[in-house]
Amino acid sequence: MRKPFAHLFRSMPLALLVALAVVLPAAPANAPARAPQNSLDGQLAQCLTLQGNLSRQATALAELQARTQMAASQRALEQARHDSQIQALQNEKHQLLYLASIAILVLLLAAASGFGLILRKRHQQLRQLSEVDALTGLSNRHAATAELNAMVAQRGPEGTRHVLFLIDIDHFKHINDNYGHHVGDDVLVAMATRLKAACRPTDLVARWGGEEFLVACSNLTREQAEQVATRLRQAMAYTLETAHSCRPVTVSLGLAPIPFFDMPADHSAASRWDYALRMADRALYAAKRNRDAWVGYWGAQLPDDATAEAILEQPEAATRIVTVMSSLPRIVSMASARARSLRAVRAQT
């Protein structure tokens, strides 16, 4: 019977034998000797029970470790999924921020563009208000002055000059006094419309002030200037119809060339448009003595012994320098007679 038990103990693991040695109490030295068979059977039963307990504990520990590893893997997977979601949300946030920035930039550009258009439109409106006569729609005096300055800087072909026309409505005060200022405004609008239609698109047409208009044409000969004066006078004449009567409306016109004298362009007073304007104003004054007429002064070469200011004071007397033109022959005849009388007076003195 000992040989099998010895073989059993030899087949047990060393760790199990150590555990048995620890667990099983040592037999007292003075204990009475038991039967060997009963003692070995009890120890074997205890070893088997202990081995079963250890095996179950090892199995439970393995299962616990497996569950722990599985839980750790699940947590790692959940963490990775959570990190992926966070990264996706961050990417979406960055994309939304980028799109929002683009949208804001587009809105700012659109707002800036719209604001620029509004400013440009407002600037055009202000410019129009500062350069256009509100009643007639023609250029006002300020705008006409700038255009005349630009016109004087450009010389036309040989034998031509720029020509300035001053036009005044005859008996305009009588129209205002008898029919009211609203009728006077209607007359101004009608005159402006007729004047604009009778001129070339390149001509300067402006309301110079009150009932006075200004027209400046570039590159005309003296004969062409006479033709334009005749056309303007005829085009602006019409019949005013009111509730109680009809009356003719006519204009008087004076013209002068720029530069007034036939000379190369220089910086003298006679080369400027304001000198031509003064000569045209004198011609207009002569035309208004008769009404419904035009008068023009056309300067030739200015002699060395004459001055422009002297010619301005008495243009009719300078027959060799200034040519008097008019729609009425008697005005030309009167100018010639006055020139002869002035020369006679000078000869006597």
Side-chain angles (χ1 to χ4, degrees):
M1 293 299 292
R2 291 181 180 179
K3 186 176 180 179
F5 283 107
H7 176 72
L8 178 62
F9 278 101
R10 284 195 302 268
S11 63
M12 287 184 181
L14 179 61
L16 182 60
L17 294 177
V18 173
L20 288 174
V22 174
V23 173
L24 294 177
N30 54 357
R34 296 181 179 178
Q37 182 65 36
N38 293 334
S39 175
L40 291 175
D41 291 339
Q43 291 178 358
L44 179 61
Q46 290 180 358
C47 287
L48 293 174
T49 302
L50 181 60
Q51 186 178 9
N53 292 336
L54 290 175
S55 177
R56 286 192 298 272
Q57 290 178 359
T59 301
L61 180 61
E63 292 177 354
L64 180 61
Q65 290 177 347
R67 286 195 298 271
T68 302
Q69 291 178 356
M70 184 176 296
S73 298
Q74 290 180 349
R75 285 195 300 271
L77 183 61
E78 290 294 331
Q79 184 66 35
R81 189 181 297 112
H82 181 68
D83 294 340
S84 177
Q85 292 177 350
I86 292 176
Q87 185 65 36
L89 290 175
Q90 288 179 348
N91 293 337
E92 184 178 358
K93 177 183 176 182
H94 293 160
Q95 186 176 6
L96 289 176
L97 290 175
Y98 176 76
L99 293 176
S101 301
I102 295 297
I104 293 174
L105 181 61
V106 170
L107 289 176
L108 289 176
L109 290 175
S113 178
F115 187 67
L117 290 176
I118 293 174
L119 287 180
R120 191 178 300 111
K121 184 177 180 180
R122 183 61 58 87
H123 177 70
Q124 291 176 351
Q125 292 175 347
L126 292 175
R127 181 177 180 180
Q128 184 176 8
L129 290 175
S130 64
E131 296 183 353
V132 176
D133 179 63
L135 179 62
T136 63
L138 301 178
S139 298
N140 59 18
R141 190 168 188 148
H142 173 73
T145 300
E147 292 191 43
L148 286 171
N149 289 330
M151 181 181 290
V152 171
Q154 301 175 356
R155 293 298 301 269
E158 186 68 24
T160 66
R161 282 183 254 177
H162 309 313
V163 182
L164 193 148
F165 302 86
L166 273 182
I167 306 169
D168 189 87
I169 302 175
D170 295 330
H171 305 293
F172 186 73
K173 184 176 184 302
H174 183 268
I175 295 174
N176 278 333
D177 293 342
N178 287 273
Y179 301 102
H181 287 275
H182 65 287
V183 176
D185 290 343
D186 293 340
V187 170
L188 288 172
V189 173
M191 286 292 188
T193 303
R194 290 172 174 272
L195 182 60
K196 190 72 174 178
C199 294
R200 300 175 299 181
T202 56
D203 294 337
L204 167 62
V205 183
R207 184 183 178 188
W208 196 245
E211 70 274 17
E212 197 170 68
F213 298 91
L214 179 143
V215 174
C217 303
S218 59
N219 308 330
L220 298 181
T221 63
R222 192 182 74 182
E223 291 76 14
Q224 290 173 336
E226 293 177 354
Q227 295 171 6
V228 171
T230 300
R231 184 175 73 248
L232 295 181
R233 184 184 66 84
Q234 293 174 351
M236 297 182 71
Y238 79 106
T239 300
L240 173 63
E241 298 181 358
T242 63
H244 304 287
S245 64
C246 297
R247 62 162 296 160
V249 180
T250 60
V251 297
S252 298
L253 186 148
L255 70 90
I258 308 172
F260 184 76
F261 296 106
D262 187 11
M263 63 170 66
D266 55 27
H267 298 286
S268 65
S271 299
R272 301 195 305 263
W273 63 266
D274 55 344
Y275 186 90
L277 179 67
R278 293 165 66 187
M279 297 300 294
D281 188 62
R282 286 187 63 89
L284 174 63
Y285 181 77
K288 288 187 73 67
R289 296 194 188 102
N290 297 273
R291 310 289 181 177
D292 191 17
W294 63 264
V295 175
Y297 297 140
W298 197 275
Q301 185 72 36
L302 183 66
D304 295 336
D305 58 349
T307 62
E309 289 299 325
I311 301 299
L312 177 64
E313 293 301 324
Q314 294 180 336
E316 296 89 349
T319 54
R320 293 178 299 173
I321 304 173
V322 178
T323 300
V324 180
M325 308 172 294
S326 178
S327 59
L328 300 177
R330 67 176 180 272
I331 294 180
V332 178
S333 300
M334 291 172 58
S336 300
R338 184 180 179 187
R340 288 193 298 270
S341 63
L342 287 173
R343 284 198 299 269
V345 171
R346 289 175 182 174
Q348 293 176 359
T349 59

